Amino acid sequence: MPKDGGKASKKSKIKISAYTPTTLDAPPPPLTDIRASTSRTLQTTKLKSHTIGGFKLATQASASGMCAPDVKVNDSRTTEEILASWLDAGEEHGWDPAYIDSYLERDLRPPLSDPEESEGLSEPKRPTGEGDRAKHEWKKHIDMYLQRLIILEGRGESPPKQCIAAFPATMLGYSVESKWNGHFFLKVQLKSLGMRIQLGHVPGEVCPKPESAWGDDFVVIDTDGVHNVGLDFCTCGSSTKSHVEQLLDRRLYPATTINPKSAATFRVLEVFELLQYESKVSPYELYNTISRLTDNTGLTSVKVCLGPISELPSISTRMAPFEASEAGNARTRSTRTASETKEGECALLCPPCPHPTINMPEGWEDEPEETRYIHALNLALDACFRLKRKDVSSEKADPGLSNGFSYFVKQSKFNEYLEEHKDEVEPKSNCSRHDAVNLADVSPGQGYAASGVATVECARHNMKRPAAVCDLQKGERYCNMDFILHWGIVVLALGVLRTFFISYDIACQWSKYLMSRLAKIDTNAPMLKPETKTRFMVPKFHLPAHIVSCHTKFAFMNTPGAGLGDGEAPERGWGEANPLAPSTREMGPGTRRDTLDYNFGDYNWRKIIDLGASLGKKMDTALSKVAENTIAHQELEETLDPTKVQEWAAQMAAWERDPVANPNPFEMTVSSPTQIAVRRVLADEEAADIASGKDAALSPDTPPSVLISRGLDLEAEQCIPLFLSALGYTKDIC
């Protein structure tokens, strides 16, 4: 057992190295191999030490050390002077003496930090909680990535001058099984045959001053496998772009922003994006698939690090909301930076829903009372408890990238709100026993940070609303649902609307004090305005589980303007998101929100492209039923008293105008007599029978009314012992 309270000590690393110099007297190499020949290769083996003693081989990167520059042959400095210039380099910087000696032998100053993790500059160690360093570093350059990716959606800044048929589109190191060794064909890389990719120039041009990728060892991941390629950056002045920008211009997405040594093609990222949307493939599964495509025999190892490759698709796909390449949103083609993006701006909007200044006519505010429903916003709320998240990572280590730009709420604002409501206790339901109410204060269980996800959707078209998704900390608490409802309306200036239809499984309980709770969130909440009218409904599938009084008060069919809606839109959406649960429950908070965000975006996108067919089908159904329903209604009215019909119509119109002040005409009012009243009536009837000479009593002491009363009492006395016995109590207790 460790002495530090149970936490195992961090395994230390040392590096041993072997330097293999290049022969200086060798003949000059061809132009394509200049960079590879002028560099010295440092072979590095990392060993992890164990507390039980000894070392274990961790990784071995053949010919992948640092690419040291040439040393002048006539160097006037002495060895002592060179040593004195960097005495601060040593074991305190993570290098063992053998590694430092390998630089001393070449009169070079060794780096003060790991070249595989930085540019060779001394940097402080990452503070605790910073999380994935590559992700945090990438976030600093998000605007550059966004600009380059949007430019590349068109022809780019410098279209190739040559015919595309005369030059490979990607110039990657595809495998060529054409080298005969005397016995069989060998699978070799084009890099070994002399092919190199030159960045910063149009294809076919030769850079007079190329700079090889670090260690002259670059890996490209494509849809058909992992390829080792020869790759040179431009440093001749023809291109002033950074290494990352030069890679992006060639449609190669780098794994890191500092000294990139691996990249993925845009093609493989697009394939991964669609695979994840359709079959919920994880980056790890993608990596394994491409590794097996590279070599499925197990005889050779795929030379690529899993960490950067796993992160590549994740980071790349997160840019999709900002690019808005396929469907319009509030931020499409904006020149603003990512930090200037507003809440919900990257979400795909529901085209048929009302959006002021977009699809609503001028003067919609003056719509008559009878037809105001055509400008109403239909919303549906629900929660899913399958999308849990384990208590791993933290907001500091993994804050995510969207920051409320798409479908999830802005986390910082949401956390402040939750802190204010952490001590609230949910009221119990006086309707049927609904788990959403009675289990609202139940924690998700040990080891979980989120019990699920709550959402607000378009009730008519099944689309996620912008900035209207949040995590649940316990059960389905009112405060969570209030927050996403309010900001889902406010965030994109939808607060000017005056009519709202809101569907929720427990609307009968949740809506009771909703307005007072919204006033605590925002005194100017749209639903608090005097001219705003809000109607609450219960989804059709859930309504039968409620008490009888809810069946008419919260029914879609009895709500004017609700039409034939059912309010079950979120349930259909959970069916698409639930397959993500096994992978998202293991993610950090930010990565999980980002993953769900762009999956929700794809869900909305598929709804958008299907709107033409779905709305057309609904229109055909409605038109075909108009005549049939009209005739049936007229025939029914002809069988009724016209005076009663007018009276009922007036009552219904009054209730529709103000359902609070007027009685519900659809609610059945039945008065049930009490047992005492029934006994009194029976006693009066017996007295009348005796007075008229009729006596039906079995005995003088037991008239019929007394017999019935004693039978009811006896039945009640029998029910109590039976009930207690069913609970496991003994007869003595009864």
Side-chain angles (χ1 to χ4, degrees):
M1 185 73 179
K3 298 180 180 180
D4 56 351
K7 294 184 179 179
S9 59
K10 186 177 180 181
K11 297 178 181 179
S12 60
K13 295 183 180 180
I14 67 170
K15 291 192 175 184
I16 63 174
S17 58
Y19 171 63
T20 305
T22 306
T23 304
L24 297 178
D25 297 330
L31 179 62
T32 55
D33 293 327
I34 288 179
R35 294 298 300 172
S37 64
T38 57
S39 63
R40 290 177 171 82
T41 301
L42 184 66
Q43 299 180 347
T44 303
T45 301
K46 293 184 180 180
L47 299 179
K48 291 185 178 179
S49 63
H50 295 264
T51 56
I52 60 176
F55 295 90
K56 178 182 177 181
L57 181 62
T59 58
Q60 182 170 359
S62 174
S64 62
M66 71 171 300
C67 180
D70 290 336
V71 180
K72 295 180 180 180
V73 178
N74 298 322
D75 197 329
S76 59
R77 296 178 300 169
T78 64
T79 303
E80 289 74 12
E81 291 174 341
I82 297 176
L83 281 171
S85 65
W86 47 270
L87 288 177
D88 54 346
E91 295 185 12
E92 65 273 16
H93 295 288
W95 309 110
D96 66 309
Y99 185 77
I100 298 176
D101 291 342
S102 67
Y103 279 84
L104 291 175
E105 293 171 359
R106 292 170 285 155
D107 295 343
L108 295 177
R109 178 187 179 91
L112 301 183
S113 62
D114 193 344
E116 297 180 359
E117 298 178 355
S118 67
E119 295 179 304
L121 301 177
S122 178
E123 295 181 0
K125 293 185 178 180
R126 183 175 71 239
T128 303
E130 186 177 325
D132 190 336
R133 178 176 178 178
K135 189 186 306 180
H136 283 265
E137 184 66 29
W138 178 89
K139 197 171 182 179
K140 302 175 184 178
H141 309 280
I142 185 173
D143 293 324
M144 182 272 291
Y145 275 80
L146 176 61
Q147 181 186 25
R148 303 310 306 171
L149 292 177
I150 290 179
I151 290 175
L152 289 172
E153 288 180 7
R155 298 181 61 202
E157 293 178 336
S158 302
K161 300 177 181 179
Q162 297 184 357
C163 175
I164 191 170
F167 193 81
T170 55
M171 281 297 294
L172 299 182
Y174 292 109
S175 298
V176 180
E177 300 182 6
S178 59
K179 185 176 180 180
W180 181 257
N181 66 352
H183 301 283
F184 53 86
F185 286 100
L186 290 174
K187 179 186 289 188
V188 298
Q189 297 284 344
L190 291 180
K191 175 186 177 182
S192 64
L193 301 179
M195 193 198 83
R196 301 189 67 84
I197 300 176
Q198 178 63 60
L199 304 180
H201 293 262
V202 297
E205 288 187 359
V206 177
C207 180
K209 191 178 180 182
E211 179 185 356
S212 298
W214 195 67
D216 195 22
D217 184 33
F218 201 87
V219 176
V220 174
I221 304 96
D222 200 10
T223 53
D224 65 338
V226 179
H227 309 288
N228 297 327
V229 304
L231 185 141
D232 296 324
F233 298 100
C234 173
T235 60
C236 69
S238 176
S239 175
T240 59
K241 298 177 182 177
S242 65
H243 290 182
V244 171
E245 291 177 293
Q246 293 184 39
L247 287 168
L248 289 174
D249 285 346
R250 196 57 65 88
R251 300 186 178 275
L252 296 174
Y253 203 101
T256 60
T257 57
I258 300 175
N259 285 336
K261 290 189 60 178
S262 59
T265 64
F266 282 20
R267 177 170 53 190
V268 73
L269 296 181
E270 291 169 356
V271 169
F272 165 73
E273 182 179 2
L274 295 180
L275 279 176
Q276 190 186 62
Y277 294 156
E278 293 294 334
S279 56
K280 316 308 178 189
V281 172
S282 67
Y284 182 77
E285 293 166 331
L286 172 75
Y287 165 78
N288 284 336
T289 301
I290 295 179
S291 297
R292 294 185 62 182
L293 285 173
T294 306
D295 184 271
N296 200 27
T297 64
L299 300 178
T300 59
S301 60
V302 179
K303 186 181 175 181
V304 61
C305 180
L306 175 59
I309 302 308
S310 297
E311 193 61 31
L312 260 173
S314 177
I315 292 179
S316 174
T317 314
R318 290 173 189 169
M319 297 301 298
F322 294 102
E323 294 179 71
S325 59
E326 293 180 315
N329 56 26
R331 199 192 187 282
T332 302
R333 299 296 180 267
S334 174
T335 57
R336 290 179 284 120
T337 63
S339 60
E340 296 172 335
T341 305
K342 300 178 181 178
E343 292 180 61
E345 233 180 343
C346 293
L348 298 179
L349 304 180
C350 177
C353 281
H355 298 285
T357 71
I358 297 178
N359 62 356
M360 299 180 68
E362 295 183 3
W364 63 268
E365 302 91 342
D366 303 324
E367 189 74 32
E369 181 75 20
E370 296 77 15
T371 55
R372 282 183 60 178
Y373 64 86
I374 65 176
H375 301 305
L377 184 62
N378 291 257
L379 302 176
L381 288 75
D382 196 27
C384 175
F385 294 98
R386 290 194 63 184
L387 295 173
K388 298 180 180 180
R389 186 183 73 82
K390 292 183 179 180
D391 191 9
V392 296
S393 190
S394 64
E395 291 291 343
K396 183 178 181 180
D398 184 23
L401 300 174
S402 63
N403 196 26
F405 299 156
S406 297
Y407 304 96
F408 266 87
V409 296
K410 189 173 183 179
Q411 196 61 28
S412 58
K413 181 168 61 178
F414 185 50
N415 289 339
E416 293 176 2
Y417 171 79
L418 290 177
E419 184 65 22
E420 299 173 358
H421 296 78
K422 63 180 180 180
D423 298 327
E424 286 187 357
V425 178
E426 300 298 305
K428 299 302 179 182
S429 173
N430 58 10
C431 182
S432 299
R433 186 181 183 278
H434 302 298
D435 287 344
V437 177
N438 297 325
L439 302 181
D441 294 319
V442 178
S443 299
Q446 186 176 6
Y448 283 91
S451 61
V453 170
T455 182
V456 177
E457 294 195 16
C458 164
R460 286 187 171 178
H461 313 106
N462 299 9
M463 296 181 64
K464 296 288 190 298
R465 300 295 306 178
V469 180
C470 74
D471 282 334
L472 299 175
Q473 292 68 44
K474 293 184 177 181
E476 206 165 333
R477 301 179 65 199
Y478 287 178
C479 61
N480 293 63
M481 311 307 290
D482 299 343
F483 188 87
I484 59 178
L485 173 67
H486 171 70
W487 290 110
I489 295 175
V490 172
V491 72
L492 292 182
L494 297 178
V496 299
L497 299 178
R498 299 182 178 181
T499 308
F500 299 94
F501 293 109
I502 300 177
S503 169
Y504 188 23
D505 300 352
I506 53 173
C508 58
Q509 306 297 310
W510 170 73
S511 62
K512 287 182 178 179
Y513 305 103
L514 175 63
M515 300 306 169
S516 60
R517 298 197 302 269
L518 289 178
K520 296 179 181 179
I521 298 176
D522 185 0
T523 55
N524 297 320
M527 296 175 61
L528 299 178
K529 296 179 180 179
E531 65 273 13
T532 300
K533 288 192 174 182
T534 305
R535 296 294 300 270
F536 299 96
M537 298 160 288
V538 174
K540 287 184 177 179
F541 180 80
H542 294 77
L543 189 59
H546 288 245
I547 59 178
V548 177
S549 61
C550 295
H551 292 178
T552 56
K553 185 177 181 181
F554 297 98
F556 270 80
M557 297 299 293
N558 296 340
T559 303
L564 295 177
D566 58 14
E568 302 289 356
E571 302 292 348
R572 304 182 184 98
W574 297 137
E576 288 281 340
N578 283 341
L580 291 167
S583 58
T584 55
R585 74 163 59 104
E586 307 288 343
M587 297 179 180
T591 301
R592 173 173 168 273
R593 287 193 297 268
D594 292 340
T595 301
L596 292 175
D597 258 345
Y598 56 73
N599 274 274
F600 291 157
D602 180 71
Y603 179 76
N604 278 13
W605 171 244
R606 284 182 286 143
K607 290 291 182 180
I608 290 174
I609 62 179
D610 190 51
L611 275 175
S614 61
L615 292 180
K617 183 179 179 180
K618 292 179 180 179
M619 177 65 74
D620 294 340
T621 302
L623 293 177
S624 63
K625 297 292 184 179
V626 168
E628 180 181 345
N629 293 336
T630 302
I631 294 174
H633 182 71
Q634 292 175 351
E635 291 177 349
L636 176 63
E637 285 188 342
E638 291 175 357
T639 62
L640 303 174
D641 183 2
T643 305
K644 283 289 185 182
V645 172
Q646 293 179 359
E647 179 183 349
W648 292 340
Q651 292 177 357
M652 185 176 66
W655 177 74
E656 290 177 349
R657 286 194 301 270
D658 192 350
V660 178
N662 297 285
N664 186 352
F666 300 102
E667 195 172 286
M668 296 180 63
T669 55
V670 179
S671 57
S672 302
T674 63
Q675 189 175 6
I676 296 176
V678 172
R679 289 181 178 181
R680 183 179 295 110
V681 172
L682 292 176
D684 292 341
E685 291 179 354
E686 290 173 359
D689 291 341
I690 294 174
S692 62
K694 299 178 181 179
D695 187 4
L698 298 178
S699 67
D701 298 331
T702 310
S705 60
V706 176
L707 180 63
I708 295 174
S709 176
R710 288 182 179 177
L712 293 175
D713 294 340
L714 180 61
E715 182 181 16
E717 291 177 359
Q718 290 177 339
C719 287
I720 293 175
L722 290 174
F723 175 72
L724 294 176
S725 177
L727 295 179
Y729 294 101
T730 62
K731 185 177 180 181
D732 296 338
I733 297 179
C734 300

